[in-house]
Amino acid sequence: MENVNSEHAEEKTKTKKKWITPKTFPYILVFPAVFLFAVFTVYPVISSFILSFQASEGGEMSFIGFQNYIRLFNDGLFYQSLINTFTLLIIQVPVMITLAILLAVTLNSALVRFNGFFRIAFFLPSVTALVTASIIFIILLDSNYGIVNYVLSSIGLEKVSWLNDPFWAKVSIMLVVTWRWTGYNMVILLAGLQNVSQELYESASIDGAGKLRQFFHITLPQLKPVILFTVVLSTIGTLQLFDEPYILTNGGPNNSTLTVIMYLYDQGFRYFDFGYASAIAYVLVIIIAVLSWIQLRLGSDRD
């Protein structure tokens, strides 16, 4: 009996040694990460793509072909959400990136004191809890009791209906998003500025180039790849905008701040139309991919 147990243990040891070898050990280490990526990323992507061709009938999903996509391209509310999202994108992203560049260049200068303090101060909004930040802005922008309207009325200006007017509601969301993410982009641009050679500035100074000329002929060209990176990131983030308009205005008034992701959320989790929501998601993915490709193409140095 002891011999049998001994042989069994020996076989078990051999099997273990066979699986764990110098060649297989790296694969064993990465297996948990690959497994989790497959379960929580690859599977949902494939599953939602299949779901976009299905609809719920009597509590069961059935294949309906391209009906969800045909319905989507005839959906006025979807176009409304798309226009709202692109309005925010076209106005807010350039403003935010310009501010981030100016802040990064300013705080990279040796002339500004307490650089570290200002860098942390501008970066802090990006790590602030989103709900907290949104609630603060709701209080600040309240039409009747908000501090902003109090200041406006104190200097003789009329109060603004920040969150209840279609135009000003969009402006309010732009303010919140700009406040929250300008510092984040600024830090990325600051990192890019560290790689710009000081010899270029010294040579330019010797040739008589002023600070403004150095900015346009040295700083901006050298930062071009980093600026492109922040533009692509900000574009993707804005096209996926959900939290700020959801908390501040809930898409109102009259769907003027309804974004594509909010519309997707409503269809999926309010009306439980998961097939239609999946179709919206895949159309948005295509839009993001095309826009990113165009931006990378335009920002590339190659013709």
Side-chain angles (χ1 to χ4, degrees), residues 258-269:
L258 180 72
T259 63
V260 177
I261 292 293
M262 284 182 67
Y263 189 53
L264 184 157
Y265 174 84
D266 285 344
Q267 294 300 320
F269 298 100

Side-chain angles (χ1 to χ4, degrees), residues 141 143 148-149 152 160-165 168-169 171-172 175:
L141 300 175
S143 300
V148 177
N149 272 349
L152 290 176
V160 176
S161 184
W162 293 101
L163 303 176
N164 299 316
D165 179 83
W168 290 111
V171 173
S172 302
L175 286 173

Side-chain angles (χ1 to χ4, degrees), residues 99-203:
L99 282 174
I101 293 171
L102 294 176
L103 283 172
V105 173
T106 304
L107 296 182
N108 193 51
S109 170
L111 299 175
V112 178
R113 300 180 66 186
F114 308 113
N115 284 354
F117 169 78
F118 287 114
R119 290 176 187 182
I120 293 172
F122 283 113
F123 182 71
L124 270 180
S126 64
V127 295
T128 305
L130 182 62
V131 176
T132 306
S134 300
I135 291 173
I136 289 171
F137 270 87
I138 289 173
I139 296 170
L140 289 173
L141 300 175
D142 185 89
S143 300
N144 298 316
Y145 308 106
I147 295 173
V148 177
N149 272 349
Y150 175 76
V151 172
L152 290 176
S153 59
S154 299
I155 58 177
L157 297 175
E158 291 185 5
K159 291 183 177 180
V160 176
S161 184
W162 293 101
L163 303 176
N164 299 316
D165 179 83
F167 173 78
W168 290 111
K170 284 192 183 74
V171 173
S172 302
I173 291 168
M174 289 177 194
L175 286 173
V176 177
V177 176
T178 303
W179 171 81
R180 186 168 166 77
W181 295 112
T182 298
Y184 179 83
N185 288 301
M186 180 201 72
V187 169
I188 297 174
L189 292 162
L190 266 172
L193 282 172
Q194 308 303 312
N195 294 322
V196 180
S197 173
Q198 291 302 313
E199 293 177 358
L200 293 173
Y201 293 108
E202 291 170 4
S203 301

Side-chain angles (χ1 to χ4, degrees), residues 82 86 89 228 231-232 235-236 239 281-299:
L82 204 58
F86 271 89
L89 172 69
L228 179 63
V231 168
V232 172
T235 300
I236 294 172
L239 288 172
Y282 272 90
V283 169
L284 183 61
V285 166
I286 293 169
I287 292 171
I288 289 174
V290 170
L291 274 180
S292 300
W293 180 81
I294 291 172
Q295 287 173 334
L296 291 171
R297 190 72 182 171
L298 291 175

Side-chain angles (χ1 to χ4, degrees), residues 6-19:
S6 173
E7 288 175 1
H8 182 67
E10 192 174 341
E11 285 178 5
K12 197 172 180 181
T13 305
K14 283 181 180 178
T15 304
K16 189 178 286 183
K17 284 181 179 177
K18 189 177 178 182
W19 278 100

